[in-house]
Amino acid sequence: MKKWSFAAGMMMILSAVMIGCGKEAAQPVDIAEGVDKCEICHMGVANDQHATEILMTDGKALKFDDIGCMYQWIAENGTEQIDVQYVRDYLSKEWVQGEQATYVYDENFKTPMGYGIYSFKEKSAADAFTKEQQAGTVMVAQDLKNHTWESSMKKHKAGHGEGHGGGQAENHGASHGEGHGDAGKTGEHTPSTANHN
């Protein structure tokens, strides 16, 4: 009887360990253009290389149009309820877990909300990109936690006064996907300050 109890106990422990080790990360959710809105700026999220996601422990997916918006949400809400973060490879648009990606930052890189960070699946691709562009600083996920998140659009708006290109969410969503494919080129996007918290 003792032998059976011991064997049963060992099987239960082994099963628990195997289930724990075999648990896969939650998978990214498709972007529905024209429907999905950024959790921070409330602009339409384009199904492009700038889209990011946070998958919560309760299964909810939060979507963002710019990696800077995702990090603003984290700064405001913390990480306790986050299961996994996803970003997209700048070249292939493939989803990549945020902790595993490599990033390139330059204040002149164009992103939907002006945070100037592109994400890459492979470090070698990020290195090649900075060499080709002759611009940008290569970063890892840990660096983003200490990064000063400042939008070039806010700086631009502050320098030109209120009323300069005050974009509306509807217009932003319509033009959001234009011109994102080339480095340093994207559609003009001006955040609606009324929607920022």
Side-chain angles (χ1 to χ4, degrees):
M1 189 71 175
K2 284 183 180 179
K3 280 186 178 179
W4 185 88
S5 298
F6 177 76
M10 287 304 292
M11 288 297 288
M12 288 174 64
I13 291 169
L14 257 165
S15 297
V17 168
M18 288 176 70
I19 290 168
C21 291
K23 184 179 183 246
E24 291 184 18
Q27 294 304 300
V29 178
D30 288 339
I31 300 294
E33 285 190 340
V35 176
D36 289 334
K37 304 288 184 195
C38 176
E39 292 287 328
I40 288 293
C41 68
H42 309 295
M43 300 297 185
V45 179
N47 189 25
D48 64 9
Q49 64 268 56
H50 300 294
T52 64
E53 291 184 354
I54 290 175
L55 301 182
M56 308 293 281
T57 54
D58 64 2
K60 184 178 180 182
L62 308 180
K63 301 174 184 181
F64 306 88
D65 64 343
D66 191 304
I67 193 170
C69 288
M70 180 170 72
Y71 272 85
Q72 184 179 332
W73 187 93
I74 293 170
E76 293 173 3
N77 297 278
T79 59
E80 277 187 16
Q81 300 302 312
I82 294 176
D83 184 12
V84 63
Q85 296 165 234
Y86 280 101
V87 296
R88 275 188 154 160
D89 179 76
Y90 184 77
L91 303 174
S92 69
K93 302 181 187 177
E94 179 184 346
W95 288 109
V96 183
Q97 285 192 35
E99 290 292 323
Q100 297 173 4
T102 301
Y103 302 88
V104 177
Y105 166 72
D106 190 283
E107 66 178 352
N108 295 314
F109 287 170
K110 305 297 183 194
T111 65
M113 297 307 292
Y115 287 99
I117 291 187
Y118 299 154
S119 45
F120 295 84
K121 181 178 181 180
E122 305 291 343
K123 184 180 184 300
S124 57
D127 290 335
F129 182 83
T130 57
K131 187 175 181 182
E132 178 188 319
Q133 297 297 315
Q134 297 184 344
T137 301
V138 176
M139 307 166 76
V140 295
Q142 187 62 37
D143 297 326
L144 298 185
K145 295 171 184 174
N146 304 314
H147 181 65
T148 303
W149 292 97
E150 190 172 8
S151 169
S152 61
M153 300 176 89
K154 289 179 183 175
K155 285 195 278 188
H156 177 75
K157 190 166 185 174
H160 287 77
E162 291 298 321
H164 179 75
Q168 298 296 318
E170 294 79 15
N171 294 336
H172 179 91
S175 65
H176 194 84
E178 297 172 8
H180 285 197
D182 298 327
K185 296 179 183 177
T186 187
E188 287 295 317
H189 306 294
T190 306
S192 174
T193 54
N195 287 333
H196 280 275
N197 293 328

